[in-house]
Amino acid sequence: MNNIVIVGLQWGDEGKGKIVDYLSENADVVVRFQGGNNAGHTIVVDDEVYKLNLLPSAVLRRGKISVIGNGVALDSHALISEIGSLKVKGMDVNPNNLMVSESCPLILSIHKDKEKLLEDLNVNHKIGTTNKGIGPCYEDKVGRRAIRLCDLENVDELNKKVDTLLNYHNALRRGLSYQVVKKEEMLREIKEVSKKILPYKKPLWRILDDFVKKGKRIIFEGAQGTFLDIDHGTYPFVTSSNTVASQAVIGSGLSSSAYVIGVAKAYTTRVGNGPFPTEQKNEVGNNLSTIGKEVGTVSNRRRRCGWFDAVLVRQAVQLSGVSSIVLTKLDILDSFDTIKVCTGYKYSGEIYDYLPASHSIQEELEPIYEEFPGWKENTQGKRSVKELPLNLMKYMRRVEELVGVPIHLISTSPKREDVIELRDVKFSEGALVS
Ligand code: GDP
Ligand code: IMO
Ligand code: MG
């Protein structure tokens, strides 16, 4: 098994970017397989902060291949601009080191318009999306009217597809008393970027198949988190893609199995609306938010904060077939006297050891907590397990018991090098060993 899938085990922003960057030192290829530029993955290299939205985190390492799979909703303008901003910092992303699936559905400005119109209409449950047009683009994909990257080459085909797409969107816009979009406007928007984006277009499933046969080491970089998954998340307060590990196969065309690593924060955060059983709307939440600098990477919104929820993380481990986890941001808990972990929920006289699917029940769940004494010691930037306080080790052991899989590495700061490997899981002579 030469492939690793990295997924978020909470509501996103677990630190996936940093971990993918760390592990990709020993990989050849990094693949994004769902979501789009709603993702914000932060990587800190030599005090320079990179915030990647669409590009896989391998773009920061020379000699690696970056891949955007068919499962990604592709905003081509955003991609070209992200490539441009990396160029300014000396990184050369070009068609030799970046490949984009020819089947990617394109995000256009009509999608961003629709998202805004519908969020404004949605009085009862505003999702609080990132406003990148992700949901409406996936709606068009499933509705079989999306324009895909491969359509940009063929003018006749593109003309027909634009007609179909506008029939749908203009009917909706008229119904909402919103200005219609003219065909020329949409064609202009597409043509503006066509020449720049087409050189990246590839039959990716085939290239990945070839990579697998050649024994290339591939990392699949998940975006968002398990509880934002369209099927398994806190619906309807979710994103519009599947974020669990099995999507790596669908969203890339990969035909082989993979070792799955889940990334979790040592506490919990959420951006946008929706249920959050362990949320702390008090001093604890404020402290986590301030010390953890919990501000959304994409939308600059303050992230909601709460205690680590072992019930959720265990469910996420099971949903994605996770073999080991990475725990990030333990250093943010350094100053806490007491640390809590949720081990179950109470609802209507019953105890739940999982997150039920019903939104109304999710909103009413009362967490059951286990308490731990804090370690009250600075752990930021530590690089050896010997330097870790005893209470932190005890906390981690209990987390492992509760979530059912071992912790394989921990992150101790935003910086690339600040990682401690607790278990050796690495690519070795063409195979993955743990
Ligand atoms: P992603 O979307 O999962 O890649 O995560 P984000 O980049 O959106 O958010 C994670 C934030 O935590 C970023 O600002 C990272 O630089 C930061 N971070 C990651 N690991 C650690 C850690 O162990 N300690 C601290 N203090 N910050 C971390
Ligand atoms: P990364 O990859 C955290 C949230 C939004 C909103 C919901 C739907 O950085 O972990 P969307 O624009 O996707 O339709 O918004 O999902 N969301 C994220 N939250 N991290 C992310 O990505 C997110 N991507 C989307 O805030 O609640
Ligand atoms: Mg993020």
Side-chain angles (χ1 to χ4, degrees):
M1 206 161 22
N2 251 347
N3 316 314
I4 300 182
V5 179
I6 310 278
V7 288
L9 299 179
Q10 294 153 322
W11 278 287
D13 303 328
E14 297 90 348
K16 299 176 293 294
K18 167 171 169 167
I19 301 307
V20 171
D21 168 70
Y22 175 77
L23 293 172
S24 65
E25 187 181 4
N26 295 315
D28 304 300
V29 184
V30 177
V31 183
R32 278 281 309 269
F33 55 89
Q34 46 71 231
N37 56 328
N38 50 350
H41 295 178
T42 316
I43 299 155
V44 182
V45 186
D46 300 334
D47 293 327
E48 178 88 59
V49 180
Y50 298 90
K51 290 179 187 291
L52 300 173
N53 302 122
L54 255 173
L55 287 168
S57 296
V59 290
L60 303 185
R61 294 189 182 271
R62 281 182 210 289
K64 313 285 172 192
I65 305 273
S66 294
V67 166
I68 296 180
N70 55 278
V72 170
L74 181 71
D75 184 330
S76 337
H77 287 81
L79 180 61
I80 295 301
S81 124
E82 200 172 328
I83 292 172
S85 56
L86 281 184
K87 199 168 200 123
V88 174
K89 293 185 174 179
M91 243 92 35
D92 186 22
V93 180
N94 59 61
N96 293 321
N97 58 23
L98 172 69
M99 303 172 184
V100 183
S101 165
E102 54 190 359
S103 311
C104 282
L106 301 187
I107 299 182
L108 299 166
S109 49
I110 45 161
H111 296 124
K112 287 172 228 169
D113 293 346
K114 183 177 172 194
E115 182 162 12
K116 182 163 186 336
L117 283 168
L118 294 185
E119 274 278 81
D120 288 349
L121 277 182
N122 199 351
V123 192
N124 289 328
H125 47 238
K126 286 188 193 302
I127 310 290
T129 69
T130 57
N131 294 317
K132 301 292 178 190
I134 304 287
C137 172
Y138 281 126
E139 281 180 51
D140 281 347
K141 171 178 169 174
V142 178
R144 292 161 292 186
R145 55 181 172 265
I147 294 177
R148 305 196 302 170
L149 186 53
C150 54
D151 299 325
L152 303 191
E153 271 179 331
N154 182 330
V155 179
D156 290 342
E157 184 73 9
L158 182 63
N159 265 301
K160 281 189 218 150
K161 297 222 161 162
V162 166
D163 285 336
T164 309
L165 194 60
L166 283 182
N167 277 344
Y168 170 85
H169 279 268
N170 279 339
L172 190 80
R173 290 165 80 110
R174 272 188 214 101
L176 294 169
S177 308
Y178 197 67
Q179 83 233 31
V180 296
V181 175
K182 295 199 184 84
K183 185 173 180 181
E184 309 81 72
E185 283 173 52
M186 183 176 274
L187 283 170
R188 198 179 320 125
E189 179 184 343
I190 294 170
K191 277 181 190 154
E192 255 170 27
V193 81
S194 288
K195 271 208 184 104
K196 293 182 193 152
I197 195 87
L198 276 171
Y200 295 95
K201 176 186 79 70
K202 298 274 157 49
L204 256 190
W205 61 274
R206 223 176 116 166
I207 296 171
L208 283 179
D209 186 57
D210 196 40
F211 283 163
V212 169
K213 285 179 180 140
K214 288 186 174 139
K216 298 265 186 219
R217 297 156 302 176
I218 308 175
I219 292 181
F220 291 84
E221 176 176 3
Q224 290 80 55
T226 307
F227 295 96
L228 289 171
D229 183 285
I230 184 80
D231 288 288
H232 303 290
T234 45
Y235 191 91
F237 298 94
V238 291
T239 192
S240 298
S241 67
N242 286 108
T243 59
V244 293
S246 43
Q247 174 64 19
V249 173
I250 311 286
S252 67
L254 171 87
S255 57
S256 80
S257 53
Y259 182 95
V260 183
I261 295 175
V263 185
K265 251 180 219 179
Y267 49 100
T268 313
T269 62
R270 173 163 203 169
V271 211
N273 302 327
F276 181 172
T278 62
E279 181 171 17
Q280 299 296 302
K281 292 183 183 164
N282 52 28
E283 208 190 326
V284 169
N286 289 341
N287 286 343
L288 287 170
S289 167
T290 312
I291 305 170
K293 300 195 176 77
E294 293 295 351
V295 176
T297 318
V298 175
S299 52
N300 253 337
R301 287 173 292 174
R302 204 152 192 254
R303 293 176 185 146
R304 299 155 62 194
C305 294
W307 294 119
F308 185 83
D309 189 337
V311 181
L312 281 192
V313 173
R314 180 171 61 235
Q315 191 159 325
V317 160
Q318 290 166 349
L319 284 165
S320 279
V322 167
S323 291
S324 57
I325 66 170
V326 176
L327 210 53
T328 63
K329 300 192 96 164
L330 275 155
D331 55 297
I332 304 308
L333 300 176
D334 284 351
S335 61
F336 284 70
D337 292 323
T338 305
I339 294 163
K340 293 189 188 180
V341 170
C342 171
T343 56
Y345 308 119
K346 274 190 218 152
Y347 173 75
S348 192
E350 284 193 47
I351 306 279
Y352 281 83
D353 63 357
Y354 69 97
L355 184 79
S358 154
H359 169 68
S360 56
I361 299 181
Q362 287 173 357
E363 287 287 12
E364 298 295 321
L365 293 171
E366 192 193 323
I368 303 166
Y369 288 114
E370 220 171 272
E371 287 193 12
F372 299 81
W375 43 91
K376 308 282 282 179
E377 211 180 290
N378 175 36
T379 62
Q380 190 166 75
K382 297 280 187 253
R383 294 197 191 161
S384 145
V385 75
K386 292 190 203 99
E387 294 177 275
L388 296 178
L390 186 63
N391 280 354
L392 185 147
M393 294 302 289
K394 285 185 181 164
Y395 175 81
M396 289 202 302
R397 291 294 161 257
R398 184 65 182 134
V399 165
E400 286 182 325
E401 272 171 23
L402 289 168
V403 306
V405 286
I407 298 173
H408 116 226
L409 55 89
I410 64 170
S411 160
T412 59
S413 97
K415 292 187 179 170
R416 179 182 258 178
E417 305 79 17
D418 290 339
V419 163
I420 302 176
E421 299 218 6
L422 302 177
R423 281 177 180 72
D424 203 15
V425 180
K426 54 167 65 119
F427 295 116
S428 164
E429 294 178 6
L432 207 99
V433 290
S434 77

